[in-house]
Amino acid sequence: MRVAMKWLLAWTWLALLAACGDKATHDDFDTGQDAILPDARTLPCTTLQFERGALPSGQSVQGLNTQTLSGTQDRWAEYVEFAPNSSATCTHPLPTGVSADSVVAAEVGVNYRGPAKAQMRWVIEAWDYSTNSWALVGDNTFAQSWRWTATSLALPTPARFLAGGPVKLRYRTDSTADASLLDLLVVRVQVAASDAGTPTDAGTPTDAGTPTDAGTPIDAGTPTDAGTQVPWSNVKSFTYQLTNYPQGKLDAIAASKFDLAIVELVRDGSSGYFTAAEISALKARGKQVLAYFEIGAIEEYRPEWSQVPADLKLGPVSGWPDEQYVKYWDERWWPIVQGRIDRALAAGFNGCYLDMVVTYEEIPANSAGTNRADLARKMVALIARINTYAKARNPDFKVVPQNSPELVDDPAYLPAIDGLGMEDMYWSDDVACDEGWCEENRTNAARVRAAGKLVLSTDYATQSAHVADAYTRSRAAGFVPYVTVRALDRVTVNAGWDPQ
């Protein structure tokens, strides 16, 4: 399911509301994204070296290590001003006792005040020790014009930036239009000892997964035990919402009675990752939560868009001009996928829900210089790699691809997945799915279910007779059904079929 245009419209509308609000004071705090890594260790900037420009008199590197300013506040000693055409590098050493290989996730925290990107672009780069080159982390896309705006930018595959020494961040512009100010430029890291699986979180030997703990009727998912696991076999209902979260929150999903929820990894599509506290609140209501993201394509508004080389993109997805297929088998794509898994793990999601698996059958058959069968094998290999990587960090983490059930023919597919999501199994926008491919999909999905995997079926219908048909046939096949609208912009509760 692709909802790129709806994301874009929602984001534009929010931007207009922010621009037009007339009740905000000059000291309102404009945050783009708080830290999402639980128990993160902050690496301050210890040295600031200018390649172009200079540190202004009366300012110091200490101004980058603590966020103190908001709105239009201007206290000279609490930030660093970077002149037009500046370039400066911050060094962020790991703390004593923390090794590079123990870091499982990392992000850059920044608080920016300056021109909007449309007027002038400022970029943040990180030194990649594996390639001996600078890698783009992000730019000032997130920022309002000349108001302090904070955000967090992912550092996917953190080992690249740690294995050869301290993290090095370069902040620069090639433009001479204006200056910019930074009140914060730090690195936050999540180390293995404080990741998912700590004594106070989910998945420890004494919490989730033990014979006497997770999965008992009186334990799993109770409001007082957010860390325990709800058994996968107990999922009898689910909801699926990717856009239009009221006030950007998950309260409507939390208030529902569904066993499982599929939600976006990024609440507005381009920033604002759901936090560990928010996901924990859903789990406290007895729900498992899967993080939705694509593995075969990328949209222009995604935070990783600028990190994907042009030659990795294979052209627009039909009907979605701001979304591009990618060479998902290329090693340069893996850091993007890995970064998303790291985010999902750090936020405490129970698993991931992988879209655009269909890329392998929609791009030209010779895209990899081979054929369609090889493209299928390469997609299965990517899913298997996701499974191996995630389970090495949390053995209970679920991997659920969406669509393309014919991949079950590959012997490596079933061992790599914990479930399967399917769309349009019986109804497509109130039109019966009776083409030959519909029956093939149902047959192959049944094979996945027969192998003991959870199968989630999403149908798009609003007419009561069609809703009833989808639930009846799906349950008869052993699938877990959900019927909603294709926009996936609401929690739909079908009376008589969904838990009330």
Side-chain angles (χ1 to χ4, degrees), residues 239-242 245 250 253 261-266 274 279 282 289-293 349:
T239 187
Y240 186 1
Q241 184 181 10
L242 299 184
Y245 303 108
L250 298 172
I253 293 176
I262 302 167
V263 302
E264 253 284 357
L265 182 64
V266 192
F274 282 118
I279 301 307
L282 281 186
V289 195
L290 301 182
Y292 170 97
F293 54 85
F349 281 92

Side-chain angles (χ1 to χ4, degrees), residues 151-225:
T151 196
S152 294
L153 304 169
L155 276 177
T157 324
R160 296 187 296 153
F161 310 107
L162 292 163
V167 180
K168 296 180 182 179
L169 297 181
R170 184 168 70 175
Y171 181 69
R172 67 176 182 84
T173 185
D174 296 325
S175 170
T176 58
D178 206 343
S180 71
L181 322 176
L182 290 185
D183 169 50
L184 184 73
L185 185 62
V186 298
V187 176
R188 305 186 189 102
V189 298
Q190 181 71 51
V191 298
S194 55
D195 193 10
T198 61
T200 58
D201 194 9
T204 62
T206 57
D207 188 15
T210 62
T212 58
D213 187 19
T216 62
I218 58 172
D219 183 39
T222 63
T224 58
D225 192 13

Side-chain angles (χ1 to χ4, degrees), residues 151-495:
T151 196
S152 294
L153 304 169
L155 276 177
T157 324
R160 296 187 296 153
F161 310 107
L162 292 163
V167 180
K168 296 180 182 179
L169 297 181
R170 184 168 70 175
Y171 181 69
R172 67 176 182 84
T173 185
D174 296 325
S175 170
T176 58
D178 206 343
S180 71
L181 322 176
L182 290 185
D183 169 50
L184 184 73
L185 185 62
V186 298
V187 176
R188 305 186 189 102
V189 298
Q190 181 71 51
V191 298
S194 55
D195 193 10
T198 61
T200 58
D201 194 9
T204 62
T206 57
D207 188 15
T210 62
T212 58
D213 187 19
T216 62
I218 58 172
D219 183 39
T222 63
T224 58
D225 192 13
T228 59
Q229 297 283 333
V230 180
W232 196 243
S233 59
N234 279 1
V235 173
K236 305 301 182 185
S237 63
F238 77 102
T239 187
Y240 186 1
Q241 184 181 10
L242 299 184
T243 69
N244 197 35
Y245 303 108
Q247 291 81 50
K249 299 180 180 180
L250 298 172
D251 295 349
I253 293 176
S256 72
K257 302 298 183 181
F258 292 100
D259 299 325
L260 181 145
I262 302 167
V263 302
E264 253 284 357
L265 182 64
V266 192
R267 82 183 73 230
D268 61 17
S270 61
S271 64
Y273 291 90
F274 282 118
T275 66
E278 291 173 299
I279 301 307
S280 179
L282 281 186
K283 292 162 71 176
R285 302 294 292 268
K287 292 171 175 50
Q288 296 201 58
V289 195
L290 301 182
Y292 170 97
F293 54 85
E294 295 187 352
I295 62 170
I298 189 166
E299 305 97 327
E300 293 180 5
Y301 54 82
R302 291 292 179 184
E304 307 95 342
W305 172 262
S306 61
Q307 301 171 30
V308 181
D311 68 323
L312 212 61
K313 299 165 186 172
L314 290 173
V317 176
S318 177
W320 306 88
D322 57 355
E323 181 177 4
Q324 294 263 335
Y325 294 113
V326 297
K327 297 177 182 177
Y328 56 87
W329 59 88
D330 192 299
E331 189 62 28
R332 293 171 296 167
W333 176 241
W334 173 247
I336 305 300
V337 176
Q338 182 180 339
R340 292 173 173 180
I341 303 167
D342 288 339
R343 288 276 185 177
L345 286 164
F349 281 92
N350 295 95
C352 55
Y353 191 81
L354 310 174
D355 200 4
M356 289 307 290
V357 175
V358 296
T359 291
Y360 94 87
E361 53 183 331
E362 293 185 356
I363 58 179
N366 63 352
S367 296
T370 52
N371 52 47
R372 186 73 64 198
D374 184 59
L375 288 175
R377 286 190 293 270
K378 285 178 165 59
M379 180 57 74
V380 171
L382 176 58
I383 294 170
R385 186 175 186 180
I386 291 169
N387 184 66
T388 299
Y389 179 84
K391 283 184 169 55
R393 287 149 181 80
N394 179 3
D396 293 318
F397 194 81
K398 310 297 186 185
V399 175
V400 182
Q402 178 170 267
N403 298 325
S404 301
E406 67 281 355
L407 292 176
V408 70
D409 289 331
D410 189 315
Y413 182 66
L414 283 174
I417 68 171
D418 299 285
L420 171 69
M422 289 296 302
E423 294 179 291
D424 304 297
M425 287 277 268
Y426 305 101
W427 293 92
S428 300
D429 306 313
D430 283 302
V431 176
C433 189
D434 54 12
E435 302 290 337
W437 59 265
C438 301
E439 184 58 36
E440 290 176 8
N441 278 350
R442 291 191 286 264
T443 298
N444 285 321
R447 294 169 62 194
V448 174
R449 180 66 188 89
K453 310 293 183 179
L454 180 71
V455 175
L456 307 172
S457 65
T458 302
D459 285 279
Y460 303 112
T462 58
Q463 296 183 31
S464 58
H466 302 165
V467 171
D469 180 74
Y471 277 87
T472 301
R473 295 169 67 188
S474 180
R475 286 174 177 167
F479 308 147
V480 178
Y482 181 58
V483 181
T484 186
V485 295
R486 192 172 295 276
L488 296 175
D489 61 354
R490 68 200 67 176
V491 176
T492 301
V493 180
N494 297 288

